[in-house]
Amino acid sequence: MTLRHGLGGTTECDRTDVLPPGYQVGDWEVTQLIGSGGWSTVYAARPAGRRPGRGDAPAGRPPGPTEVALKIMPTAGLAPRQARRIVESAGREVELGRRAAHPRLIGLLESFVLAAPDRPALEGAIVLVMERACGSLRELLDAGVPEAERGRLIAGICEGLAHLHRSGWVHADLKPENVLLGRDRSVKLSDFGLATELTGTHGYAPPLGTLDYLPPERWRAPLGELGVRVRPTADIWALGIVIHEVFAAGGSPFSGATPLARGAAVQEYGEGRAPLRMDHAVPPFWRALAADCLAPTHAARASHTAESLLARIAAQQQAPGAGAGAGAGAGAGAGAGRLRSRARAAVLAAALCGMAGATLCSDVVRVNPSAPPGPAGVTAAGTVRVFNAERSCRERSDREPRCSLGLAIDPMRPYTADNVVPARVWHGDVLAADCQLPDGRPIIDEEDRLSTRWYRVPLPPGSMPPEAWLPAVRTKERPALPKCPRPAAAR
């Protein structure tokens, strides 16, 4: 799923209206929730009236897919500009699906407007019925991409991009979450809500996207009446990031603890003030390919088209002695890359705790020190349970420093090492919270969720400062708390 946000946007994704299994949406019956983002929720569904083990189609419906994905995009209760963005996004997906269908693009089967008188929040929602995939590249990255699969996956992405670009479209939001995997292990690009049709050499798109995959020029792009200029080289840049992630256990070539920090590193590189540093886990062939994709300017990237990159991959795979994944010997390197990623995370945790002196990584702010780490659950009024977006940290029961999270001193300042208190918290900790600030500094977590909401957490007597702030992206709960006064330093 994709969370939409602009470079200066403040989108909070607390709103949801989850449909239960069995709920009928048009001619389809919901079976389970797949995921949700800022603009939409996606469900698995089957034809209404069909049950597992039955091959017959409902009366009046010709034989078709036994399972689909329903992308539901609500418009009720939104401001006119927000609703217009959603309608435009859906329109792009429908138009691209109609005119540029391809085996490497997720198929669009139909679209309609939902009538849901029993659920006012979904009345008038736009529904896209799409081909059902069985997973995403992001999930595969989290689990570890098999060495033999890496080259094939990247080649599949190149095929999809080459077809898009030949058809006159730019994806504009390529990332592992939007690379889906079929049951036959096929690669399919998805989520075309920001896809832009080219007029000549470029097109125009809303100033939205996923920060970790924006090329240097997008950070400086002027916003005109039609939006920001988008060209196929933006997809090539994102492809370079994805190639690096596939071979470096999900690691970005640009360092930083948050997407905004990594974006600052991208801009430094784009302006020639920093070199490109790739993980040594990336094998030489793929390192060269990623480096071409990550050329710092549009002009330097222009000659590296998706078709030319695909041809290079095909030639490498056919070369004598090439491994099954066109990257023989990458397995040990990828393992080393995972160790280095963990080491970098541990260094970051230590840096954030560095101010604490003798109280390094203290957990004194916890309400219930014996509460076991775990998923968000029901907590007492006036408390919040900490959530860590990193799955590996959620599965730990110890106080691993790299899995600790910081509480901010000032919710209106950047969430960096010089703006955190000495006390540390971990996934599952239950914290006292006395009020909430709905319009603090925008924070984006590791899953691209963005929020401007913060919760004020009182610290034990004698602490300096006497209170700290937990960003809402670090908890799944939304307690009913009074509004905090704006911090004095931010008034």
Side-chain angles (χ1 to χ4, degrees):
M1 286 300 301
T2 302
L3 169 63
R4 307 295 188 196
H5 52 76
L7 297 184
T10 54
T11 302
E12 178 148 2
C13 300
D14 297 343
R15 168 178 172 269
T16 185
D17 187 14
V18 177
L19 298 176
Y23 189 89
Q24 187 163 337
V25 177
D27 293 332
W28 307 93
E29 182 181 297
V30 169
T31 57
Q32 67 181 64
L33 174 69
I34 294 176
S36 62
W39 285 1
S40 63
T41 303
V42 178
Y43 299 90
R46 60 182 169 229
R50 181 176 294 179
R51 293 292 182 270
R54 290 180 56 187
D56 56 313
R61 175 185 285 278
T66 57
E67 191 174 24
V68 298
L70 302 180
K71 183 173 184 177
I72 300 181
M73 309 170 73
T75 59
L78 298 181
R81 186 177 66 173
Q82 293 173 312
R84 185 168 62 251
R85 277 185 176 175
I86 288 177
V87 171
E88 291 171 351
S89 173
R92 282 190 290 270
E93 295 210 50
V94 170
E95 187 67 10
L96 190 150
R98 184 177 66 83
R99 294 168 48 191
H102 188 268
R104 290 290 170 263
L105 309 184
I106 203 76
L108 178 70
L109 305 179
E110 64 171 312
S111 63
F112 57 90
V113 176
L114 179 61
D118 58 327
R119 290 180 177 266
L122 294 179
E123 179 68 26
I126 299 171
V127 180
L128 305 181
V129 183
M130 301 180 298
E131 183 182 0
R132 174 82 161 98
C134 66
S136 71
L137 179 57
R138 174 63 70 197
E139 293 168 327
L140 193 56
L141 284 173
D142 289 344
V145 184
E147 180 182 342
E149 291 288 288
R150 295 169 188 165
R152 184 187 65 80
L153 290 170
I154 295 169
I157 297 171
C158 284
E159 286 182 43
L161 286 182
H163 173 74
L164 272 180
H165 296 171
R166 282 195 305 268
S167 302
W169 292 83
V170 177
H171 188 289
D173 198 20
L174 179 68
K175 58 183 179 180
E177 289 83 351
N178 292 340
V179 177
L180 301 185
L181 308 174
R183 298 188 185 281
D184 59 354
R185 298 165 56 241
S186 61
V187 174
K188 294 178 181 289
L189 305 188
S190 72
D191 201 342
F192 304 109
L194 291 182
T196 300
E197 189 169 14
L198 298 174
T199 303
T201 60
H202 62 271
Y204 290 93
L208 306 168
T210 304
L211 302 185
D212 270 320
Y213 300 88
L214 296 182
E217 63 269 17
R218 272 294 302 275
W219 292 88
R220 310 184 293 271
L223 177 60
E225 185 176 339
L226 299 176
V228 294
R229 179 177 291 189
V230 176
R231 294 171 286 205
T233 55
D235 285 345
I236 301 302
W237 172 276
L239 174 63
I241 301 290
V242 172
I243 291 171
H244 189 277
E245 289 180 306
V246 166
F247 286 96
S252 171
F254 298 98
S255 61
T258 67
L260 285 174
R262 291 188 287 275
V266 166
Q267 294 173 74
E268 289 280 307
Y269 164 69
E271 292 167 5
R273 297 198 299 270
L276 177 63
R277 296 186 177 94
M278 284 191 276
D279 197 306
H280 293 296
V282 184
F285 170 78
W286 297 104
R287 178 185 294 270
L289 202 75
D292 288 340
C293 293
L294 296 174
T297 65
H298 155 72
R301 254 176 277 132
S303 62
H304 303 296
T305 65
E307 286 189 345
S308 70
L309 295 170
L310 184 59
R312 287 167 62 181
I313 294 171
Q316 169 68 9
Q317 290 174 330
Q318 294 166 8
R338 279 190 284 274
L339 291 175
R340 278 188 287 273
S341 296
R342 290 171 186 151
R344 284 194 294 268
V347 169
L348 173 62
L352 291 177
C353 292
M355 311 177 276
T359 59
L360 268 183
C361 297
S362 165
D363 60 353
V364 293
V365 297
R366 292 194 296 152
V367 170
N368 181 6
S370 64
V378 177
T379 57
T383 63
V384 290
R385 188 182 298 270
V386 176
F387 175 81
N388 192 327
E390 287 196 33
R391 182 184 305 170
S392 61
C393 288
R394 294 200 300 271
E395 294 170 350
R396 299 186 72 103
S397 58
D398 58 357
R399 297 299 207 201
E400 165 63 39
R402 76 174 183 86
C403 289
S404 66
L405 302 172
L407 298 171
I409 299 170
D410 184 350
M412 305 306 297
R413 287 169 47 201
Y415 190 34
T416 55
D418 61 351
N419 184 31
V420 294
V421 300
R424 307 294 294 170
V425 296
W426 281 262
H427 179 72
D429 284 351
V430 178
L431 312 180
D434 58 8
C435 62
Q436 59 181 307
L437 183 70
D439 55 351
R441 183 89 178 191
I443 298 297
I444 307 168
D445 75 357
E446 294 82 355
E447 294 183 343
D448 286 338
R449 285 188 292 261
L450 182 148
S451 178
T452 60
R453 189 179 304 276
W454 294 74
Y455 296 104
R456 191 170 71 183
V457 177
L459 298 183
S463 299
M464 287 302 295
E467 60 196 25
W469 298 83
L470 178 75
V473 295
R474 294 302 190 196
T475 179
K476 291 288 192 179
E477 297 169 358
R478 297 295 179 264
L481 296 173
K483 185 176 179 180
C484 301
R486 205 171 185 80
R491 290 175 188 166

